[in-house]
């Protein structure tokens, strides 16, 4: 819808009589709101007011009451139907007498928009003429089944350009702009033009029709005779009559007409001259859905495609389409990757040698030429063959061994008909990194091939396979890089449900998951600190953030954690984390991102939303990992966002989500930190932010973190920084701070 931007006073005159009825009055309000979309409402530009009329006119709000589009639309929605007779003439006389309530002076153009069915119970001809003589532009809008002759009389000249129909709100709003655009509103956008188009004016008319005859008594001149006759039977009928007419609207070229989105992207217009592209997964390198050149990691990448009878022709073609889309989305002209493709059944072939094609176009042509062969699924044999013959890349220099990571991506949907254990061991001995992709029923076989559930990708349906492109990108580029958050500092707390709702066996799964996750982080004072909180009916700290300073110490401590039982309260656990774990006194470091991972059976979550919000308010991310059938809405309130919620059907499946959870945590570790959240000042000190620093304002305490009580009299003071001193934080400064705090606690 175009927008009229000019100094303009617009007054709505809404028919609120019984002939309109409550339903049509609501439609009138909706229509008035849609017309507001065509007006640039602002104190200096378009102002809007409203009068409702029936037996008497009633000022709903003057033009100077609401000065934004949202306020005007909200107020229109709240307007209440009054009812009464239709005194349109009296309403027009009210405007002639009072003017535009709250309007500006007569130098600002005035527009009156009458929304009515045109069935006035008093004469409108004279007051309508007088209103137009005052140079007020009048639009007459028909609602329900209007009397168009009366609306014609109300509307300004030429009437066909000032008559609108509320039944087609969008077109009418555009027509309003079109009519106003010439003398009043700013010029239309380039390429836009006002054009007329055929439209219909509908109305209901009551007509008389002969329904038949019936026997009637006519009487008689003779005393004893009665005369019968046939009399016509007439009934009144309401007939819908359509009058052909012409309407006006502004038509602009669609910004999507030029098809700006590439690679199957969908163009979504945003106004007259802008748009955005919804890109297929794996595209979005720029606004026009160019291929994402996100495989910037340098690897030798060999795809091993199952071409056996078990995978079927359909499955082979699906994998081929996946391979093409993946490479289109990730491999650019200057990509540091070398790509090859092998396919297997009884035999193994390498139709595209590693690094054979340097440009994506020829690579796609070669993939198109791959054919399905059928045969037995000898996966073990194929793995051993590609380990021996697939990576004969030339060293960069004769005396320097090329140490680029080597990755084999196995695409299969057919269970192996030979042993894969020996081939997997052989491939790993050759320093090959194996990734397996297949449908969900192949999960166990793929894990056997790769030796690690983190290196398998399973999909639920054909479309879901294409959704796995980003996951495959991440796994390929994580080869040779340690997992965890590398150099990012992080304070990480696991809050583990050890209640009877979990049960001992499932608790062991949770404990193993925490242990396995911790092994992915570099644990020391300077990089990652980890704390563990266990909860049943009560919560307690198994170990605090500054208790253990090495991976081995943390892993050993996790093994000692007992099962608690009792009824679980996640809210109690999160409150405990907030007040007793994520504090400077317990080893939390200022200027370091903080994450709580809540591992829960889903029980006892009703009281957890408020403490979770409190943690988030203090800059601490809450990540919920829930198992069981708890309502997703409840879990979402605790997690705060679907990005920080993982809902798993069984405890056995936890291992498959570890990579995803660690990745999300590490993304958070890169986000900017507010040095005052959570508050690093002890003893009710107030944290005040400065540029790249903070200071603590203390009351009755002193020191950079209000850690030392002010001594009265002449007692000697411990040497501390002066009160209100600035603390400038760098990663090195944080390390010194955490070490100093640790030593002082030790002493």
């Amino acid at each position: 819808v175009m927008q009229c931007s000019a100094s303009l006073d617009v007054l709505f005159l809404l028919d609120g009589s019984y002939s309109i009825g409550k339903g049509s009055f609501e439609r009138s309000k909706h229509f008035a709101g849609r017309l507001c979309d065509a007006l640039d409402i602002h104190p200096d530009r378009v102002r809007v007011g409203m009068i409702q009329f029936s037996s008497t006119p009633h000022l709903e709000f003057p033009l100077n009451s609401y000065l934004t589009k949202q306020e005007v639309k909200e107020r229109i929605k709240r307007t209440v139907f009054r009812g009464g007779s239709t005194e349109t003439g009296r309403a027009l006389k009210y405007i002639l007498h009072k003017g535009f309530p709250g309007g500006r002076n007569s130098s600002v153009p005035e527009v009156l928009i009458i929304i009515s069915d045109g069935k006035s119970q008093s004469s409108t001809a004279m007051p309508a003429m007088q209103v137009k003589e005052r140079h007020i532009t009048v639009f007459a809008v028909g609602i329900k089944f209007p009397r168009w002759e009366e609306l014609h009389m109300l509307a300004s000249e030429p009437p066909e350009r000032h008559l609108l129909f509320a039944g087609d709100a969008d077109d009418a709003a555009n027509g309003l702009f079109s009519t106003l655009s010439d003398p009043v509103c700013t010029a239309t956008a380039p390429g836009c033009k006002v054009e007329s188009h055929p439209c219909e004016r509908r109305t209901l008319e009551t007509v008389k029709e002969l329904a038949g005859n019936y026997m009637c008594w006519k009487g008689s001149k003779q005393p004893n005779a009665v005369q019968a006759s046939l009399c016509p039977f007439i009934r009144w009928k309401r007939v819908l009559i359509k009058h052909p007419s012409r309407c006006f609207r502004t038509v602009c070229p669609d910004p999507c007409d030029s098809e700006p989105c590439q690679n199957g992207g969908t163009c979504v217009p945003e106004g007259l001259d802008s748009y955005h592209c919804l890109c297929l997964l794996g595209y979005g390198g720029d606004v026009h859905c160019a291929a994402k050149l996100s495989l910037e990691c340098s690897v030798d990448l060999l795809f091993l495609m199952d071409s056996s009878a078990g995978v079927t022709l359909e499955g082979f073609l699906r994998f081929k389409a996946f391979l093409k889309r993946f490479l289109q989305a990730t491999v650019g002209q200057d990509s540091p990757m070398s790509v090859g493709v092998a396919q297997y059944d009884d035999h193994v072939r390498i139709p595209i040698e590693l690094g054979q094609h340097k440009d994506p176009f020829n690579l796609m042509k070669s993939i198109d030429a791959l054919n399905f062969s059928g045969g037995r699924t000898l996966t073990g044999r194929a793995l051993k063959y590609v380990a021996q013959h697939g990576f004969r890349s030339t060293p960069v220099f004769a005396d320097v061994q090329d140490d680029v990571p080597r990755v084999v991506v196995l695409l299969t949907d057919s269970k192996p008909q030979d042993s894969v254990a020996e081939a997997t061991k052989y491939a790993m001995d050759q320093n090959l990194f194996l990734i397996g992709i297949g449908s969900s029923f192949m999960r166990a076989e793929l894990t056997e091939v790769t030796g690690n559930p983190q290196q398998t990708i399973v999909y639920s349906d054909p479309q879901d396979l294409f959704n796995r492109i980003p996951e495959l990108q991440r796994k390929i580029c994580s080869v040779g890089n340690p997992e965890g958050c590398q150099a990012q500092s992080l304070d990480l707390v696991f809050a583990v449900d050890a209640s009877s709702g979990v049960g001992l066996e499932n608790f062991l799964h949770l404990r193993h998951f925490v242990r396995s996750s911790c092994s992915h982080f570099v644990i020391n004072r300077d990089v990652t600190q980890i704390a563990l909180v266990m909860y049943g009916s009560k919560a307690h700290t198994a170990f605090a953030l500054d208790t253990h300073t090495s991976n081995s110490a943390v892993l050993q401590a996790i093994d000692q954690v007992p099962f608690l039982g009792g009824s679980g309260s996640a809210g109690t656990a999160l409150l405990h984390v907030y007040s007793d774990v994520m504090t400077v006194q317990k080893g939390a470091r200022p200027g370091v991102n903080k994450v709580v991972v809540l591992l829960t059976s889903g029980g006892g979550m009703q009281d957890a939303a408020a403490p979770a919000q409190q943690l988030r308010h203090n800059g601490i991310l809450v990540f919920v990992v829930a198992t069981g059938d708890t309502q997703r809405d409840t879990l979402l309130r605790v997690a705060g966002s679907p990005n920080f919620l993982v809902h798993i059907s069984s405890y056995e499946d936890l291992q498959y989500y570890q990579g995803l959870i660690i990745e999300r945590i590490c993304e958070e570790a890169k986000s900017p930190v507010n040095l005052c959240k959570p508050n690093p000042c002890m003893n009710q000190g107030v944290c005040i932010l400065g540029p790249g620093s903070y200071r603590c304002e203390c009351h009755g305490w002193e020191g950079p973190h209000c850690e030392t009580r002010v001594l009265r009299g002449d007692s000697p003071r411990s040497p501390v920084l002066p009160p209100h001193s600035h603390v400038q934080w760098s990663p090195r400064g944080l390390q010194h701070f955490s070490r100093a705090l640790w030593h002082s606690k030790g002493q």
Side-chain angles (χ1 to χ4, degrees), residues 454-472:
Q454 299 302 316
Q455 287 160 227
T456 62
I457 296 174
V458 295
Y459 64 93
S460 53
D461 57 62
Q463 183 51 46
D464 189 40
L465 172 61
F466 295 99
N467 296 341
R468 303 290 163 185
I469 286 176
E471 191 179 346
L472 178 57

PDB file of all heavy atoms in Angstrom, residues 454-472:
ATOM      1  N   GLN A 454      29.566 -38.798  17.510  1.00  0.00           N
ATOM      2  CA  GLN A 454      29.697 -37.383  17.126  1.00  0.00           C
ATOM      3  C   GLN A 454      30.037 -37.218  15.650  1.00  0.00           C
ATOM      4  O   GLN A 454      29.932 -36.134  15.099  1.00  0.00           O
ATOM      5  CB  GLN A 454      30.799 -36.712  17.961  1.00  0.00           C
ATOM      6  CG  GLN A 454      30.557 -36.717  19.453  1.00  0.00           C
ATOM      7  CD  GLN A 454      29.260 -36.033  19.834  1.00  0.00           C
ATOM      8  OE1 GLN A 454      28.961 -34.969  19.318  1.00  0.00           O
ATOM      9  NE2 GLN A 454      28.480 -36.646  20.694  1.00  0.00           N
ATOM     10  N   GLN A 455      30.519 -38.315  15.013  1.00  0.00           N
ATOM     11  CA  GLN A 455      30.925 -38.225  13.615  1.00  0.00           C
ATOM     12  C   GLN A 455      29.900 -38.861  12.674  1.00  0.00           C
ATOM     13  O   GLN A 455      30.209 -39.191  11.530  1.00  0.00           O
ATOM     14  CB  GLN A 455      32.305 -38.870  13.424  1.00  0.00           C
ATOM     15  CG  GLN A 455      33.416 -38.010  14.001  1.00  0.00           C
ATOM     16  CD  GLN A 455      34.678 -38.789  14.279  1.00  0.00           C
ATOM     17  OE1 GLN A 455      35.273 -38.667  15.339  1.00  0.00           O
ATOM     18  NE2 GLN A 455      35.107 -39.601  13.343  1.00  0.00           N
ATOM     19  N   THR A 456      28.667 -39.043  13.170  1.00  0.00           N
ATOM     20  CA  THR A 456      27.595 -39.565  12.308  1.00  0.00           C
ATOM     21  C   THR A 456      26.523 -38.492  12.158  1.00  0.00           C
ATOM     22  O   THR A 456      26.265 -37.725  13.085  1.00  0.00           O
ATOM     23  CB  THR A 456      26.954 -40.836  12.917  1.00  0.00           C
ATOM     24  OG1 THR A 456      26.374 -40.488  14.163  1.00  0.00           O
ATOM     25  CG2 THR A 456      27.979 -41.925  13.127  1.00  0.00           C
ATOM     26  N   ILE A 457      25.933 -38.458  10.976  1.00  0.00           N
ATOM     27  CA  ILE A 457      24.832 -37.524  10.703  1.00  0.00           C
ATOM     28  C   ILE A 457      23.671 -38.361  10.177  1.00  0.00           C
ATOM     29  O   ILE A 457      23.831 -39.051   9.156  1.00  0.00           O
ATOM     30  CB  ILE A 457      25.244 -36.475   9.656  1.00  0.00           C
ATOM     31  CG1 ILE A 457      26.379 -35.589  10.194  1.00  0.00           C
ATOM     32  CG2 ILE A 457      24.056 -35.618   9.244  1.00  0.00           C
ATOM     33  CD1 ILE A 457      26.957 -34.621   9.174  1.00  0.00           C
ATOM     34  N   VAL A 458      22.536 -38.334  10.878  1.00  0.00           N
ATOM     35  CA  VAL A 458      21.381 -39.102  10.398  1.00  0.00           C
ATOM     36  C   VAL A 458      20.249 -38.139  10.057  1.00  0.00           C
ATOM     37  O   VAL A 458      20.127 -37.067  10.646  1.00  0.00           O
ATOM     38  CB  VAL A 458      20.907 -40.151  11.430  1.00  0.00           C
ATOM     39  CG1 VAL A 458      21.967 -41.215  11.660  1.00  0.00           C
ATOM     40  CG2 VAL A 458      20.510 -39.506  12.738  1.00  0.00           C
ATOM     41  N   TYR A 459      19.423 -38.530   9.089  1.00  0.00           N
ATOM     42  CA  TYR A 459      18.301 -37.677   8.675  1.00  0.00           C
ATOM     43  C   TYR A 459      17.014 -38.485   8.727  1.00  0.00           C
ATOM     44  O   TYR A 459      17.029 -39.713   8.619  1.00  0.00           O
ATOM     45  CB  TYR A 459      18.547 -37.115   7.262  1.00  0.00           C
ATOM     46  CG  TYR A 459      18.616 -38.141   6.157  1.00  0.00           C
ATOM     47  CD1 TYR A 459      17.483 -38.488   5.432  1.00  0.00           C
ATOM     48  CD2 TYR A 459      19.816 -38.762   5.829  1.00  0.00           C
ATOM     49  CE1 TYR A 459      17.540 -39.425   4.415  1.00  0.00           C
ATOM     50  CE2 TYR A 459      19.891 -39.703   4.817  1.00  0.00           C
ATOM     51  CZ  TYR A 459      18.749 -40.025   4.106  1.00  0.00           C
ATOM     52  OH  TYR A 459      18.815 -40.963   3.109  1.00  0.00           O
ATOM     53  N   SER A 460      15.888 -37.766   8.915  1.00  0.00           N
ATOM     54  CA  SER A 460      14.607 -38.458   9.118  1.00  0.00           C
ATOM     55  C   SER A 460      13.811 -38.615   7.825  1.00  0.00           C
ATOM     56  O   SER A 460      13.057 -39.556   7.672  1.00  0.00           O
ATOM     57  CB  SER A 460      13.772 -37.695  10.154  1.00  0.00           C
ATOM     58  OG  SER A 460      13.669 -36.331   9.768  1.00  0.00           O
ATOM     59  N   ASP A 461      13.957 -37.674   6.890  1.00  0.00           N
ATOM     60  CA  ASP A 461      13.225 -37.776   5.617  1.00  0.00           C
ATOM     61  C   ASP A 461      14.070 -37.091   4.543  1.00  0.00           C
ATOM     62  O   ASP A 461      15.043 -36.396   4.860  1.00  0.00           O
ATOM     63  CB  ASP A 461      11.833 -37.118   5.735  1.00  0.00           C
ATOM     64  CG  ASP A 461      11.924 -35.656   6.156  1.00  0.00           C
ATOM     65  OD1 ASP A 461      12.517 -34.858   5.408  1.00  0.00           O
ATOM     66  OD2 ASP A 461      11.411 -35.324   7.236  1.00  0.00           O
ATOM     67  N   PRO A 462      13.721 -37.268   3.252  1.00  0.00           N
ATOM     68  CA  PRO A 462      14.580 -36.729   2.183  1.00  0.00           C
ATOM     69  C   PRO A 462      14.885 -35.238   2.327  1.00  0.00           C
ATOM     70  O   PRO A 462      16.017 -34.812   2.116  1.00  0.00           O
ATOM     71  CB  PRO A 462      13.768 -37.008   0.915  1.00  0.00           C
ATOM     72  CG  PRO A 462      12.992 -38.243   1.239  1.00  0.00           C
ATOM     73  CD  PRO A 462      12.641 -38.123   2.695  1.00  0.00           C
ATOM     74  N   GLN A 463      13.883 -34.432   2.724  1.00  0.00           N
ATOM     75  CA  GLN A 463      14.156 -32.996   2.856  1.00  0.00           C
ATOM     76  C   GLN A 463      15.117 -32.733   4.011  1.00  0.00           C
ATOM     77  O   GLN A 463      15.970 -31.854   3.954  1.00  0.00           O
ATOM     78  CB  GLN A 463      12.843 -32.220   3.070  1.00  0.00           C
ATOM     79  CG  GLN A 463      13.019 -30.702   3.157  1.00  0.00           C
ATOM     80  CD  GLN A 463      13.826 -30.105   2.005  1.00  0.00           C
ATOM     81  OE1 GLN A 463      13.594 -30.436   0.853  1.00  0.00           O
ATOM     82  NE2 GLN A 463      14.795 -29.254   2.325  1.00  0.00           N
ATOM     83  N   ASP A 464      14.980 -33.539   5.074  1.00  0.00           N
ATOM     84  CA  ASP A 464      15.833 -33.353   6.244  1.00  0.00           C
ATOM     85  C   ASP A 464      17.307 -33.568   5.901  1.00  0.00           C
ATOM     86  O   ASP A 464      18.189 -32.974   6.518  1.00  0.00           O
ATOM     87  CB  ASP A 464      15.390 -34.316   7.352  1.00  0.00           C
ATOM     88  CG  ASP A 464      16.094 -34.036   8.667  1.00  0.00           C
ATOM     89  OD1 ASP A 464      16.267 -32.849   8.995  1.00  0.00           O
ATOM     90  OD2 ASP A 464      16.489 -34.993   9.345  1.00  0.00           O
ATOM     91  N   LEU A 465      17.582 -34.409   4.897  1.00  0.00           N
ATOM     92  CA  LEU A 465      18.970 -34.634   4.470  1.00  0.00           C
ATOM     93  C   LEU A 465      19.615 -33.308   4.068  1.00  0.00           C
ATOM     94  O   LEU A 465      20.751 -33.006   4.445  1.00  0.00           O
ATOM     95  CB  LEU A 465      18.998 -35.633   3.296  1.00  0.00           C
ATOM     96  CG  LEU A 465      20.357 -35.825   2.599  1.00  0.00           C
ATOM     97  CD1 LEU A 465      21.402 -36.351   3.570  1.00  0.00           C
ATOM     98  CD2 LEU A 465      20.228 -36.790   1.424  1.00  0.00           C
ATOM     99  N   PHE A 466      18.871 -32.480   3.301  1.00  0.00           N
ATOM    100  CA  PHE A 466      19.434 -31.206   2.844  1.00  0.00           C
ATOM    101  C   PHE A 466      19.613 -30.223   4.011  1.00  0.00           C
ATOM    102  O   PHE A 466      20.471 -29.353   3.967  1.00  0.00           O
ATOM    103  CB  PHE A 466      18.551 -30.597   1.748  1.00  0.00           C
ATOM    104  CG  PHE A 466      18.542 -31.443   0.505  1.00  0.00           C
ATOM    105  CD1 PHE A 466      17.502 -32.320   0.241  1.00  0.00           C
ATOM    106  CD2 PHE A 466      19.607 -31.398  -0.375  1.00  0.00           C
ATOM    107  CE1 PHE A 466      17.510 -33.125  -0.892  1.00  0.00           C
ATOM    108  CE2 PHE A 466      19.617 -32.196  -1.515  1.00  0.00           C
ATOM    109  CZ  PHE A 466      18.573 -33.060  -1.772  1.00  0.00           C
ATOM    110  N   ASN A 467      18.789 -30.397   5.066  1.00  0.00           N
ATOM    111  CA  ASN A 467      18.941 -29.534   6.247  1.00  0.00           C
ATOM    112  C   ASN A 467      20.230 -29.814   7.005  1.00  0.00           C
ATOM    113  O   ASN A 467      20.608 -29.067   7.900  1.00  0.00           O
ATOM    114  CB  ASN A 467      17.752 -29.719   7.204  1.00  0.00           C
ATOM    115  CG  ASN A 467      16.446 -29.289   6.573  1.00  0.00           C
ATOM    116  OD1 ASN A 467      16.440 -28.542   5.597  1.00  0.00           O
ATOM    117  ND2 ASN A 467      15.331 -29.771   7.100  1.00  0.00           N
ATOM    118  N   ARG A 468      20.890 -30.927   6.668  1.00  0.00           N
ATOM    119  CA  ARG A 468      22.114 -31.325   7.393  1.00  0.00           C
ATOM    120  C   ARG A 468      23.380 -30.700   6.808  1.00  0.00           C
ATOM    121  O   ARG A 468      24.471 -30.978   7.280  1.00  0.00           O
ATOM    122  CB  ARG A 468      22.265 -32.857   7.383  1.00  0.00           C
ATOM    123  CG  ARG A 468      21.082 -33.589   7.973  1.00  0.00           C
ATOM    124  CD  ARG A 468      21.005 -33.399   9.460  1.00  0.00           C
ATOM    125  NE  ARG A 468      19.691 -33.753   9.983  1.00  0.00           N
ATOM    126  CZ  ARG A 468      19.335 -33.590  11.226  1.00  0.00           C
ATOM    127  NH1 ARG A 468      20.166 -33.043  12.073  1.00  0.00           N
ATOM    128  NH2 ARG A 468      18.139 -33.925  11.642  1.00  0.00           N
ATOM    129  N   ILE A 469      23.233 -29.878   5.746  1.00  0.00           N
ATOM    130  CA  ILE A 469      24.417 -29.295   5.098  1.00  0.00           C
ATOM    131  C   ILE A 469      25.273 -28.503   6.095  1.00  0.00           C
ATOM    132  O   ILE A 469      26.483 -28.727   6.177  1.00  0.00           O
ATOM    133  CB  ILE A 469      23.995 -28.433   3.879  1.00  0.00           C
ATOM    134  CG1 ILE A 469      23.574 -29.356   2.727  1.00  0.00           C
ATOM    135  CG2 ILE A 469      25.116 -27.501   3.427  1.00  0.00           C
ATOM    136  CD1 ILE A 469      23.036 -28.640   1.500  1.00  0.00           C
ATOM    137  N   PRO A 470      24.691 -27.585   6.914  1.00  0.00           N
ATOM    138  CA  PRO A 470      25.545 -26.834   7.852  1.00  0.00           C
ATOM    139  C   PRO A 470      26.255 -27.745   8.859  1.00  0.00           C
ATOM    140  O   PRO A 470      27.400 -27.490   9.222  1.00  0.00           O
ATOM    141  CB  PRO A 470      24.563 -25.894   8.557  1.00  0.00           C
ATOM    142  CG  PRO A 470      23.390 -25.794   7.634  1.00  0.00           C
ATOM    143  CD  PRO A 470      23.296 -27.124   6.964  1.00  0.00           C
ATOM    144  N   GLU A 471      25.561 -28.810   9.303  1.00  0.00           N
ATOM    145  CA  GLU A 471      26.164 -29.737  10.266  1.00  0.00           C
ATOM    146  C   GLU A 471      27.384 -30.424   9.655  1.00  0.00           C
ATOM    147  O   GLU A 471      28.427 -30.568  10.305  1.00  0.00           O
ATOM    148  CB  GLU A 471      25.104 -30.770  10.684  1.00  0.00           C
ATOM    149  CG  GLU A 471      25.510 -31.614  11.863  1.00  0.00           C
ATOM    150  CD  GLU A 471      24.433 -32.612  12.270  1.00  0.00           C
ATOM    151  OE1 GLU A 471      23.271 -32.472  11.821  1.00  0.00           O
ATOM    152  OE2 GLU A 471      24.764 -33.549  13.006  1.00  0.00           O
ATOM    153  N   LEU A 472      27.268 -30.841   8.384  1.00  0.00           N
ATOM    154  CA  LEU A 472      28.399 -31.475   7.708  1.00  0.00           C
ATOM    155  C   LEU A 472      29.551 -30.475   7.553  1.00  0.00           C
ATOM    156  O   LEU A 472      30.721 -30.822   7.744  1.00  0.00           O
ATOM    157  CB  LEU A 472      27.967 -32.032   6.342  1.00  0.00           C
ATOM    158  CG  LEU A 472      29.066 -32.689   5.496  1.00  0.00           C
ATOM    159  CD1 LEU A 472      29.738 -33.831   6.261  1.00  0.00           C
ATOM    160  CD2 LEU A 472      28.508 -33.206   4.169  1.00  0.00           C
TER     161      LEU A 472
END
